[in-house]
Amino acid sequence: MQPEDWPDFVASAALRGAVREMAAHAVLLRHQGEQIVLGLSPDQDHFNRPQMLNQLAEQLAGKLGYTPRLQIEIVQGAAPADSLHQRNSRERDARQQAAEDAFMGDPDVQKLVARGERVVPDSIRPFDDQE
């Protein structure tokens, strides 16, 4: 597995709870044999606990076919690839910006704004985020 494969792997791994959050915030630094080295940013260091690593290894075993030996390194600066959390945040931000651009670009909205009407801040949501 390569670093860029980690986000899709985590998304498809059916992880649960805090272990899923740890894996979603981690980046894959190295995968050699049964050894997996994950990177966490300093602000995510609270995930770096032996119990969390053991739980993650157990949950990954079903998908990998073996129980990996996991190690965490704290990554300063740029990581080799995005984490699942970073990728999802970037995609969510892009959808939000596209929704705002489409709404504000609508001729009827532009007419209303030109007449002095205001758009309520944070009221525009991407269609796929509606509940």
Side-chain angles (χ1 to χ4, degrees):
M1 180 175 358
Q2 299 299 314
E4 60 272 9
D5 301 326
W6 182 252
D8 289 332
F9 178 80
V10 171
S12 68
L15 301 174
R16 298 174 310 279
V19 169
R20 180 176 180 7
E21 288 303 308
M22 178 176 84
H25 282 84
V27 295
L28 177 65
L29 298 177
R30 291 181 298 287
H31 180 206
Q32 231 175 359
E34 293 183 359
Q35 175 80 30
I36 295 177
V37 180
L38 300 175
L40 288 171
S41 64
D43 64 327
Q44 299 300 322
D45 187 42
H46 59 278
F47 287 124
N48 190 9
R49 303 286 176 261
Q51 180 181 0
M52 293 284 289
L53 287 173
N54 290 337
Q55 289 176 3
L56 179 57
E58 289 171 12
Q59 290 187 34
L60 290 178
K63 184 150 178 79
L64 291 170
Y66 60 88
T67 302
R69 292 185 322 273
L70 297 177
Q71 178 183 342
I72 296 286
E73 293 181 6
I74 302 303
V75 177
Q76 302 287 343
D82 284 345
S83 67
L84 177 61
H85 176 73
Q86 290 168 319
R87 183 183 76 182
N88 289 348
S89 292
R90 186 179 60 253
E91 290 172 356
R92 184 177 50 252
D93 292 348
R95 286 191 312 272
Q96 178 66 35
Q97 187 61 54
E100 290 176 12
D101 291 347
F103 184 81
M104 296 306 291
D106 183 271
D108 292 328
V109 172
Q110 290 178 351
K111 287 177 192 173
L112 290 170
V113 170
R115 288 191 345 211
E117 301 296 331
R118 295 183 312 119
V119 174
V120 176
D122 298 322
S123 65
I124 302 169
R125 295 282 179 261
F127 183 72
D128 60 345
D129 286 354
Q130 300 295 321
E131 293 181 17

